[in-house]
C-alpha cells in the first residue's frame, strides 16, 4: 500500500485543525467544555494508509458502519484504537463484534438488544451500547421511534450484561436548522425523560452530529460527534 504523500498529510492536518476550531467555537457558544465532546472519525470510505496517518496525529476513536470492515481493520491496525460501530449490526455478527468494540452506537430494536445481552452473558462481557433513535420518524431511517422506546423502556432497562450509556440519532436528509435543532434537542429531551423515569437507565452520552451538522449537534448537547467527509475530504481521490 502506498504511503500518503506530504500534500495529503498536510491537507489532513489542516482539515483536522479546522474541525477542532469549529468544535471549540460551538462549545464556547453553548458554554460547554471541548473535553465534553469526543470526536469519532468515521473511516468507512477512507483508505487504510490515511487512517494510519490519522492515528499518528494522536486520535484513537474510529467509527465504521459495517461490522465486517471494522473487524478486518481492527485486526490490522493498532490494538490501542477504540472502535465504534455506527451502522446496522446483524445478529450473526454480534459474537465477533463484541470483543472488538468500545461502543456500539446502533442498537435499533429490543430484539437486537436481547440478543446482544444473551451473547454478552455467554462471553462474560458487558458491552457499552447506545440506542439508536429515529427522532424525526422519517421512514427511511433505522432506529426506534421515541414512542417505541418509551413504551418498552422498562424492558430496555432490565436486561443483564449490557451497559446502555446513551442515545444516538441521525438527522433527516437535507434538514434545515430548525429541523436539526428539533431532532437533536428531541434526543436530549428523550434522554432526560428516560433518566427521570427511574427504570434503571442512566444515560450520559448523546451521539449526534455529522460533517454537515455537528456544530448544531454540539449546541444541542452532543457528547460524541461522528465525522467522516469533513476530516478526510480532498485527502484522497477515491471519495
Ligand atoms: C457515514 C456516517 C457518518 C459520517 O458522515 P459524514 O457526513 O461523512 O461526516 C456518521 N454517522 C453514520 C451513522 C454514518 O454512517
Amino acid at each position: 500500500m502506498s504511503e500518503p504523500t506530504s500534500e495529503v498529510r498536510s491537507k489532513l492536518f489542516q482539515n483536522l485543525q479546522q474541525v477542532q476550531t469549529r468544535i471549540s467555537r460551538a462549545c464556547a457558544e453553548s458554554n460547554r467544555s471541548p473535553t465534553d465532546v469526543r470526536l469519532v472519525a468515521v473511516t468507512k470510505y477512507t483508505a487504510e494508509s490515511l487512517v494510519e496517518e490519522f492515528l499518528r496525529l494522536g486520535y484513537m476513536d474510529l467509527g465504521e458502519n459495517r461490522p465486517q470492515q471494522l473487524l478486518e481493520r481492527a485486526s490490522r491496525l493498532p490494538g490501542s484504537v477504540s472502535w465504534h460501530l455506527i451502522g446496522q449490526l446483524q445478529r450473526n455478527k454480534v459474537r465477533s463484534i463484541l470483543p472488538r468494540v468500545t461502543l456500539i452506537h446502533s442498537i435499533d430494536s429490543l430484539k437486537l438488544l436481547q440478543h446482544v445481552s444473551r451473547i454478552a452473558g455467554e462471553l462474560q462481557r458487558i458491552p457499552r451500547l447506545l440506542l439508536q433513535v429515529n427522532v424525526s420518524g422519517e421512514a427511511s431511517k433505522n432506529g426506534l421511534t421515541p414512542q417505541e422506546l418509551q413504551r418498552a423502556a422498562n424492558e430496555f432497562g432490565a436486561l443483564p450484561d449490557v451497559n446502555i450509556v446513551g442515545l444516538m440519532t441521525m438527522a433527516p436528509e437535507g434538514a434545515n436548522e430548525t429541523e436539526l435543532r428539533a431532532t437533536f434537542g428531541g434526543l436530549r429531551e428523550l434522554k432526560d425523560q428516560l433518566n427521570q423515569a427511574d427504570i434503571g437507565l442512566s444515560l450520559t452520552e448523546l451521539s449526534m452530529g455529522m460533517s454537515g451538522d455537528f456544530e448544531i449537534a454540539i449546541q444541542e448537547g452532543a457528547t460524541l460527534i461522528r465525522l467522516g467527509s469533513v476530516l478526510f475530504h480532498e485527502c484522497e481521490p477515491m471519495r
Side-chain angles (χ1 to χ4, degrees):
M1 199 183 300
S2 59
E3 287 296 303
T5 62
S6 61
E7 293 94 279
V8 164
R9 267 194 220 130
S10 60
K11 181 64 191 165
L12 178 62
F13 190 70
Q14 196 187 323
N15 287 351
L16 196 51
Q17 281 189 316
Q18 283 167 0
V19 164
Q20 290 298 3
T21 304
R22 291 171 60 185
I23 293 173
S24 301
R25 204 184 302 140
C27 285
E29 283 161 3
S30 45
N31 289 316
R32 302 188 59 203
S33 162
T35 56
D36 293 340
V37 180
R38 189 136 37 99
L39 169 62
V40 177
V42 177
T43 50
K44 63 188 178 196
Y45 299 129
T46 308
E48 210 159 291
S49 57
L50 193 58
V51 178
E52 287 173 334
E53 192 59 37
F54 183 73
L55 294 174
R56 267 178 235 128
L57 296 172
Y59 291 81
M60 283 295 146
D61 287 282
L62 300 184
E64 286 283 343
N65 67 334
R66 287 178 38 235
Q68 193 57 40
Q69 179 154 312
L70 187 156
L71 290 171
E72 286 167 15
R73 289 189 157 180
S75 71
R76 292 188 294 257
L77 292 169
S80 49
V81 172
S82 292
W83 288 100
H84 298 251
L85 181 69
I86 61 171
Q88 207 165 25
L89 175 57
Q90 299 79 19
R91 288 158 136 261
N92 64 356
K93 290 289 193 307
V94 169
R95 193 177 293 276
S96 50
I97 274 287
L98 286 190
R100 286 292 197 179
V101 288
T102 296
L103 184 62
I104 298 174
H105 294 230
S106 43
I107 300 294
D108 58 5
S109 71
L110 182 57
K111 270 202 146 65
L112 176 62
L113 183 67
Q114 287 164 337
H115 186 67
V116 169
S117 167
R118 191 167 62 73
I119 303 288
E122 287 177 27
L123 298 176
Q124 300 196 316
R125 289 182 168 269
I126 302 186
R128 295 171 73 249
L129 309 172
L130 304 179
L131 304 176
Q132 183 172 352
V133 184
N134 180 359
V135 180
S136 61
E138 218 191 356
S140 63
K141 285 269 181 299
N142 294 323
L144 297 142
T145 65
Q147 295 74 22
E148 282 170 333
L149 185 48
Q150 281 158 333
R151 227 181 289 126
N154 282 312
E155 294 167 73
F156 284 93
L159 284 167
D161 300 313
V162 288
N163 185 11
I164 302 172
V165 297
L167 305 177
M168 179 272 224
T169 198
M170 286 168 81
E173 206 87 40
N176 63 30
E177 184 177 335
T178 309
E179 291 159 337
L180 290 171
R181 289 197 189 281
T183 301
F184 298 146
L187 195 71
R188 187 191 59 232
E189 284 166 20
L190 188 58
K191 179 189 74 133
D192 294 343
Q193 284 168 18
L194 291 167
N195 282 338
Q196 281 155 22
D198 199 24
I199 46 174
L201 288 174
S202 168
L203 310 174
T204 55
E205 303 286 343
L206 288 173
S207 170
M208 53 190 198
M210 305 178 19
S211 291
D213 53 27
F214 68 93
E215 283 136 312
I216 292 174
I218 290 172
Q219 290 161 2
E220 297 296 333
T223 62
L224 292 153
I225 54 175
R226 310 177 309 269
L227 304 185
S229 47
V230 75
L231 290 175
F232 299 113
H233 73 107
E234 290 173 36
C235 292
E236 48 193 340
M238 293 286 292
R239 285 227 53 206

